[in-house]
Amino acid sequence: MSHADVIKQFVLTQFLSDVSADELPDDYDFIANGVIDSLGILKLIAWLEETFQVVLDYSELDPSHFRTVESIDAFVTAARGQGALS
């Protein structure tokens, strides 16, 4: 299972239990659509640290990193030293 699939499954389980994985596009904006709020971002961050074994620099966090499955996946990849944050 790819990082994106794992991330999508977490979001579906925690925030969108009435939506199937097939119905959730990877570019769906969780923040703009009110799916994830500031407390949800904190929950997501804690889960990312535990699940992907990343240590995050909280001074570098930006809500844009958590808007979509795609942006979360890119954030995890960069945090693991495999890419750059945009």
Side-chain angles (χ1 to χ4, degrees):
M1 197 180 260
S2 72
H3 288 165
D5 291 336
V6 174
I7 292 163
K8 183 182 280 193
Q9 193 58 47
F10 175 79
V11 170
L12 290 169
T13 301
Q14 296 297 314
F15 304 104
L16 291 169
S17 59
D18 59 337
V19 176
S20 74
D22 294 336
E23 296 175 299
L24 182 64
D26 288 348
D27 62 350
Y28 183 81
D29 192 323
F30 303 125
I31 295 172
N33 289 294
V35 174
I36 298 178
D37 59 12
S38 57
L39 292 176
I41 289 175
L42 294 175
K43 183 176 189 175
L44 177 61
I45 289 168
W47 177 81
L48 291 171
E49 288 179 316
E50 182 177 320
T51 302
F52 296 108
Q53 302 297 302
V54 293
V55 178
L56 303 177
D57 179 353
Y58 291 97
S59 66
E60 298 289 323
L61 296 181
D62 185 300
S64 67
H65 297 141
F66 308 104
R67 289 193 168 277
T68 67
V69 170
E70 291 172 340
S71 64
I72 297 166
D73 186 31
F75 178 75
V76 168
T77 299
R80 296 184 85 189
Q82 301 171 355
L85 292 175
S86 53

